[in-house]
Amino acid sequence: MTIKFGPMAFRVPISKADRTNVADPKVEPGDGTNWPLEAAVISGIWPAAFKNLPAIRPIFPGAMRFIAFNPGEVPTLTEIEANTKDGWVNDAYLATLQLTGTLLVRAQHAKHLKDLVVAGTIAAIEECPTLAMYGPVQLTSDFLRKAVLDFNTGLIAGSFYKDLRRIDPGDTDWEALALSNFLNGAYEPMLRAGATLSSDDAERLPMPQLPLTHNEFTLNVALAWTREPAAVLFSPKSNNLEIIPTLPFMRHIGAKGIREPITGDSLIEKLFEGEGSSAPWVNRLKAKLKQMGFGALDDSLPLEQTIREFQIAAKSPIAARARSNPAPELPIPEAQLALRHFGDLVAAQNFDPYSGMVTGRANQRTRELVDRWHRDELRSPLLIVAYKDEDLDAKGRPKAGVKPAFNDLWARQEVKNSKLRMFAADFTRRLDGSDLSESDLEPIGFYASFGSGGPNTLKPNADLRVEKAEVTPERLLSLDQADLIEAMASGGTGELADIASSFKIIRAVSECENLGYLDQINAYDNAGLSYGPCHWAMAGAVGNPKGPTELGGFAAYLRYLEREGIAPDADVLLPQGMAAWIGRDNDASSIARSTSGAAYYSQLCFLDDRGRPRAMTSDGVRSMVPSWRSFYRWVQIGRRCEQIGLGTWRMALRRLRRLAGVTIVVPSTTEGIPSTLIQMGDAFSSELLMAQLMRWNVKAPGGVVIGSGDKEKASPYIVRAVQAAKQDAAQASAGINSNTFVEALVRRLRAQLEAFVADMLAKDEPVDHTELPRQFDEIADPKWVDLLGPNPLAFHLDGRLRVLSKGHGTARIAPLAQEP
C-alpha cells in the first residue's frame, strides 16, 4: 500500500470550534522558565458545563511524539499486555491512561521539509522550524484508540521488532507495542494534512486535550529546528533546539499559508494582532539595532550586514553606552546619540558576550542579546568617522574638538569624497568607563575613487607607521633581522640562509602589493577586498560569488593552520563569519591544496547557524566584505593579530614553492628531438628573477602559469622567455646553470612581460597591468635602500634584506615542515 502524506499545510493550534467557546483569551510570550521565551502562551477560560476539553491541533503535519511529564506514571509493556486480549487493548484500561506531557510534531517527509523552507523561512532568521512542541497536553482514551491504535483510519502507523521478529499493524502483538512505545516516546505515528482542512488528521481525528486548572487552560507552543537531528529530545528547553519565535512565524505564514481566516474570533485576533506577515517583527528588530547604533541611519544596508556587525560587536567583552555626564559643548545626549558621535559614548563592560557563530542571522542567542543590549542601553562600540583634510594636524590626526564631517560610516560607497580621511573610534580597545578623544582615533584610510570605488589605506609614513604592521622577519617569523643577515654573510648555507633568501623575494613582492605593510588593504575594485604580501583577493567574487578566490584559498589555509595547532588563532576570517567552502567529503587540508595557475583558490563563504559554509550572494560581497567596518578589521588584523604573521608567511612561501615547481615545456629547435622539461625554480634561479616572476604571477596568474592542480605548466610567455634566453646563452657557450643564462632571462622576461601587457590592452581586459614593467624595475632597484635619513614609507627593515641577488643559484626557497 502506498502511504500518502498529503500536502504541507498550516493550522491554528486550537480549532475554530474550540476557540468559539474560549472566554477571556490571551496570547503572550513565554516567561522562559520551563518553556522558551519566544514560545507562544495561549490561555483562556473554558466553560465549566462543557464535558469535553479544548484540544491541541498541531500547526503542521509530521511525526508525533509524546513525552510524559512524569515517566514513573507510564505503564510498562507487561502492564499493558496484561490488559490486552486477542491483540486488543481494553478500552476501560485506556481510559485510565490520562497522562500529561509535551507533544512533539516533527516535519519528516522530504517534500514537507522543502515546502517548510519555502513557506516558513523568515528572512532575518533564514531558518525554518522543523519541530513544534505543545504542552501541557493530556492524553485521552479517544485519542489513543482512534488516532494512535486504529491503523486503518487513524494516524499513519509504523512497525516494530520483538525478539527479532517484525511486528506490522494488524499483528496481535502490534497494539500493545504501539501503545507502550508511544507512551514512552519511542513511537511516532505520522500526522497527515488532507486536501482540505476538514480532511486533515488534526481536524478529523481526536487530539490530546488541554488540561484545566480552575476552568482555565494554558497552552505553550514552541517552534524549533534541531542542531543535531538524531539527538533525543526530552524538553522544550533542550540545548539541542534552536528556537524560532512562534508568533512571528504564525504571522509570517499568515493569510497565505493558514487554512482558515486569521480573523473572526477574539483568540485568533489576539494571536495575529492584525499582522499578516513577519515584516512588523523584522522592523522592530531593525529599530532596536538602529537605536543601539547598528546599521546605517538611512536604513540602506541589508539587515544581514547589520546583524553580522552586532554579533561581532557582541563577542567583545567591551561595548559602549551613553555618557552620564556629556560634555557641555556637545548637544543633548538623545539628539547626539542619534547622530552617533563618539564623544557622547564611553566604554562599558559587556558581561554576557556572544559565543556563537557570526552568521548575519537573527538566531535565538542573537535575538536574546539584542533584547539584553537594548534593555541595558548598550551601544555599538565601533564608529568609523571621517574628517576633512584641513581639520587634521601636521601628523594627520584630527584636531581636538573638531566636528567630524561624518560620524558613522558603514557602506563601501556611503561617502564618495577622496579628500576625507577615515578614522576608527573603537571602544573595544578601551577600559570600562573610559571615553575617546580625537587623539585616540585610529587612522584607517580614505575613499579611493578608482575602480568601482571604496576604502583604501593611506600610505604609511613616519607619523602613521604602525610598528607591527611592517613585513619583517620579526613580524612574520619571530626571527631577528640580524640573524638572517648573519646567515647570509656566512656563505648562504643552512636553514636560516634559505629563510633569508625566501624572505627577500617575498618582501620585494610585498612592496609592490601592499607597500611592505600588512595593514595596507584595499577594497575599491571588483576584487572585493585584498590582503597580504600577495594581496589575496576576492577577485571575481562580486560577479560570481560562488567562484573560487585567492582569499578563499587563504581562508582554507588559515583554518588548516589553526586546526593543526601550527598557528593557533590564525583563522582571522572565522570571527568575521567567513570560511572556505568545506563540504562533507573534504576538509580544510584538502581544500587548502586546490591550485590554479600556481595560486591557491577556494570558494569563500559566509557561515550558517550550524557552522557550515553557505554561498555568498553578490549583494553580500558588495555590501559586507568591503564595508568600512570590515575594512577596519582587516587593517587591525595586519597591525595586531599575533598569528597572522606566521599564516601570511607560510601562505606566501607556499606560493613561491609552488611556482618554483611548475614545469616549463621548452620545444626543441631540432626536428625529432623531444621538448625539454625544466622546473621554473631551475630556470629562474636568482632572487631577482624569482621575485619578478612571483610579482607577475600575483598580479596575473594566467600570464605565468596555465592549468590547475597537477596539470599546471608555464604559460607561452614564460616558455618564449626561457627559450630565447637559452639561445642567448648558447651563443656564449653557456647553459641554463650559468650567470649568462640568468642575465639573458632577466632581459627576455621583461620583453615577454611587455608583450603580455600589450596583449591585455588589445583585449581591453578590465584589469590594468601597465604597472608591471615599472614594478619590475622597483624590484630590481629599491630606491629607498640607498636614501639617506628616513625613507618615504618609514621602513625599518635593514636594506640588506631587500637587495636581491642576481646570480645563478642565489634563490634559495625555504622548506615548509608541515603542509596540508
Side-chain angles (χ1 to χ4, degrees):
M1 179 180 68
T2 300
I3 296 176
K4 296 182 178 180
F5 289 86
M8 169 54 67
F10 300 99
R11 319 170 184 94
V12 175
I14 298 178
S15 71
K16 182 177 181 180
D18 283 343
R19 294 197 307 267
T20 303
N21 298 317
V22 175
D24 192 23
K26 295 183 178 65
V27 178
E28 300 169 313
D31 62 7
T33 303
N34 297 313
W35 286 75
L37 283 170
E38 294 172 306
V41 182
I42 303 171
S43 61
I45 297 173
W46 190 251
F50 280 43
K51 181 179 179 181
N52 291 328
L53 301 181
I56 179 64
R57 189 172 64 173
I59 294 173
F60 51 76
M64 180 183 289
R65 182 189 304 170
F66 175 73
I67 300 174
F69 287 161
N70 185 357
E73 295 179 354
V74 177
T76 65
L77 177 60
T78 301
E79 291 173 329
I80 294 174
E81 288 176 334
N83 290 280
T84 303
K85 185 178 181 181
D86 299 327
W88 187 270
V89 178
N90 186 285
D91 284 345
Y93 177 70
L94 286 180
T96 67
L97 301 178
Q98 297 183 359
L99 301 176
T100 59
T102 302
L103 192 71
L104 281 69
V105 176
R106 177 170 53 91
Q108 189 175 18
H109 190 255
K111 176 70 165 56
H112 287 180
L113 290 170
K114 290 180 181 179
D115 291 344
L116 259 176
V117 171
V118 174
T121 301
I122 300 173
I125 299 175
E126 285 299 331
E127 292 283 355
C128 68
T130 57
L131 176 73
M133 296 161 283
Y134 310 90
V137 300
Q138 180 175 302
L139 303 184
T140 67
S141 59
D142 210 26
F143 164 71
L144 293 174
R145 170 59 62 203
K146 295 179 180 178
V148 176
L149 300 181
D150 188 337
F151 52 81
N152 289 311
T153 62
L155 304 174
I156 298 177
S159 300
F160 310 98
Y161 281 88
K162 182 179 181 182
D163 299 327
L164 301 180
R165 182 171 67 89
R166 180 184 167 112
I167 309 297
D168 293 317
D171 190 290
T172 54
D173 288 333
W174 182 85
E175 191 164 295
L177 284 170
L179 179 60
S180 177
N181 287 341
F182 180 78
L183 297 180
N184 281 283
Y187 168 47
E188 297 179 318
M190 294 292 298
L191 178 79
R192 291 163 291 196
T196 62
L197 179 60
S198 61
S199 61
D200 274 359
D201 282 353
E203 185 77 6
R204 68 180 186 84
L205 294 172
M207 289 286 111
Q209 295 181 342
L210 306 180
L212 300 181
T213 302
H214 305 300
N215 288 347
E216 189 170 335
F217 72 87
T218 298
L219 170 65
N220 297 276
V221 182
L223 305 175
W225 54 269
T226 51
R227 297 187 182 93
E228 297 293 336
V232 178
L233 301 174
F234 295 101
S235 164
K237 297 199 72 176
S238 167
N239 290 333
N240 189 43
L241 294 177
E242 174 67 31
I243 298 299
I244 300 294
T246 303
L247 294 179
F249 174 82
M250 293 296 295
R251 294 165 189 178
H252 178 76
I253 56 177
K256 295 181 180 179
I258 293 178
R259 287 185 147 183
E260 60 183 291
I262 59 173
T263 59
D265 59 69
S266 56
L267 193 154
I268 201 169
E269 288 178 357
K270 288 182 181 294
L271 189 65
F272 288 91
E273 292 186 333
E275 296 179 358
S277 76
S278 59
W281 177 83
V282 172
N283 289 336
R284 289 190 288 271
L285 176 66
K286 286 182 180 178
K288 287 181 180 179
L289 289 165
K290 184 175 180 179
Q291 187 174 340
M292 297 185 298
F294 291 97
L297 283 169
D298 63 359
D299 297 320
S300 59
L301 294 183
L303 178 58
E304 178 177 326
Q305 180 180 346
T306 303
I307 294 173
R308 186 183 305 277
E309 291 296 339
F310 172 78
Q311 290 170 332
I312 292 172
K315 281 182 171 291
S316 172
I318 295 292
R321 69 169 72 252
R323 290 166 55 117
S324 58
N325 55 338
E329 68 272 13
L330 296 177
I332 59 174
E334 292 80 4
Q336 190 66 4
L337 281 173
L339 297 176
R340 303 181 183 183
H341 191 288
F342 66 87
D344 263 339
L345 299 173
V346 294
Q349 193 77 35
N350 175 19
F351 293 101
D352 188 16
Y354 178 64
S355 59
M357 288 288 174
V358 173
T359 63
R361 294 173 166 179
N363 56 44
Q364 180 181 352
R365 176 64 171 154
T366 297
R367 299 191 302 270
E368 175 188 330
L369 289 177
V370 167
D371 288 341
R372 180 167 298 176
W373 276 49
H374 191 258
R375 183 173 62 250
D376 294 345
E377 298 182 332
L378 296 178
R379 291 185 61 85
S380 171
L382 174 64
L383 297 93
I384 307 299
V385 296
Y387 284 88
K388 298 176 183 177
D389 197 39
E390 60 264 28
D391 291 334
L392 306 180
D393 62 21
K395 293 186 176 182
R397 305 279 181 162
K399 297 174 183 176
V402 173
K403 181 181 178 181
F406 292 91
N407 284 326
D408 189 18
L409 294 178
W410 285 75
R412 177 188 198 181
Q413 297 177 338
E414 189 171 341
V415 173
K416 299 181 179 181
N417 184 344
S418 59
K419 294 183 179 180
L420 294 175
R421 298 294 176 258
M422 282 59 170
F423 296 79
D426 187 354
F427 286 91
T428 66
R429 297 176 52 221
R430 309 292 292 176
L431 296 175
D432 182 21
S434 63
D435 58 8
L436 271 169
S437 66
E438 286 79 7
S439 62
D440 299 315
L441 300 179
E442 183 167 1
I444 57 172
F446 69 104
Y447 177 82
S449 57
F450 39 91
S452 53
N456 193 17
T457 35
L458 294 165
K459 289 184 178 181
N461 55 42
D463 295 318
L464 299 178
R465 181 182 191 278
V466 178
E467 179 70 27
K468 290 188 68 174
E470 186 178 350
V471 176
T472 63
E474 290 85 353
R475 179 66 165 113
L476 301 189
L477 289 156
S478 300
L479 292 174
D480 290 336
Q481 297 183 38
D483 292 339
L484 296 188
I485 292 169
E486 182 181 350
M488 291 163 49
S490 64
T493 61
E495 182 181 358
L496 282 182
D498 294 345
I499 292 174
S501 180
S502 298
F503 174 82
K504 290 166 68 179
I505 294 168
I506 291 170
R507 167 67 190 230
V509 174
S510 174
E511 288 185 13
C512 299
E513 283 295 336
N514 66 349
L515 300 181
Y517 284 90
L518 294 182
D519 62 351
Q520 288 290 307
I521 320 297
N522 69 53
Y524 51 70
D525 56 23
N526 285 337
L529 183 140
S530 304
Y531 165 82
C534 300
H535 255 196
W536 299 294
M538 294 187 64
V542 174
N544 180 22
K546 295 184 179 180
T549 70
E550 289 190 36
L551 196 61
F554 186 49
Y557 190 61
L558 293 180
R559 183 90 294 246
Y560 162 78
L561 291 178
E562 184 169 306
R563 286 182 175 177
E564 294 297 317
I566 300 169
D569 301 321
D571 189 353
V572 295
L573 288 102
L574 190 65
Q576 301 185 69
M578 291 183 282
W581 182 269
I582 301 175
R584 294 181 179 179
D585 299 327
N586 50 43
D587 55 23
S589 61
S590 62
I591 291 296
R593 290 193 295 268
S594 178
T595 64
S596 178
Y600 291 87
Y601 286 91
S602 181
Q603 180 184 347
L604 187 63
C605 302
F606 289 139
L607 295 170
D608 66 15
D609 288 306
R610 294 174 174 86
R612 299 182 306 203
R614 60 183 176 92
M616 291 183 176
T617 63
S618 294
D619 286 343
V621 174
R622 288 190 184 99
S623 63
M624 170 60 197
V625 177
S627 70
W628 278 106
R629 276 165 165 71
S630 175
F631 182 77
Y632 167 63
R633 281 191 289 274
W634 281 98
V635 170
Q636 274 234 86
I637 287 165
R639 292 175 181 175
R640 295 183 177 86
C641 179
E642 292 295 334
Q643 293 293 340
I644 199 60
L646 181 60
T648 295
W649 162 256
R650 289 180 63 110
M651 188 67 179
L653 184 58
R654 292 178 80 220
R655 186 173 197 146
L656 179 59
R657 291 181 60 81
R658 183 82 185 186
L659 191 60
V662 170
T663 299
I664 308 171
V665 182
V666 184
S668 173
T669 56
T670 304
E671 186 176 351
I673 302 298
S675 299
T676 303
L677 304 182
I678 308 171
Q679 284 195 329
M680 278 191 179
D682 294 331
F684 293 80
S685 60
S686 74
E687 290 176 348
L688 173 61
L689 277 171
M690 280 306 300
Q692 289 178 331
L693 186 70
M694 188 177 182
R695 170 67 193 113
W696 185 355
N697 180 252
V698 168
K699 179 68 174 179
V704 176
V705 180
I706 58 177
S708 60
D710 295 335
K711 296 182 179 181
E712 290 177 349
K713 63 180 181 179
S715 74
Y717 297 101
I718 302 305
V719 172
R720 288 193 291 266
V722 171
Q723 195 170 29
K726 282 186 66 178
Q727 293 171 354
D728 292 344
Q731 292 176 1
S733 301
I736 67 168
N737 297 321
S738 66
N739 286 336
T740 302
F741 173 79
V742 168
E743 291 167 1
L745 187 53
V746 170
R747 297 191 303 272
R748 295 299 188 175
L749 184 67
R750 175 60 177 263
Q752 287 300 315
L753 174 71
E754 292 174 350
F756 167 78
V757 172
D759 289 345
M760 295 302 102
L761 289 172
K763 293 178 181 179
D764 197 25
E765 287 288 318
V767 179
D768 183 10
H769 297 92
T770 57
E771 64 184 359
L772 282 172
R774 170 181 56 79
Q775 290 179 340
F776 264 40
D777 295 338
E778 292 172 352
I779 287 173
D781 186 18
K783 298 297 184 183
W784 68 267
V785 172
D786 299 324
L787 290 176
L788 298 177
N791 52 63
L793 296 177
F795 291 139
H796 286 194
L797 183 76
D798 190 305
R800 286 172 286 182
L801 288 173
R802 176 56 185 85
V803 177
L804 300 171
S805 299
K806 300 178 181 179
H808 166 69
T810 56
R812 300 172 60 89
I813 302 177
L816 280 174
Q818 188 173 350
E819 271 293 273

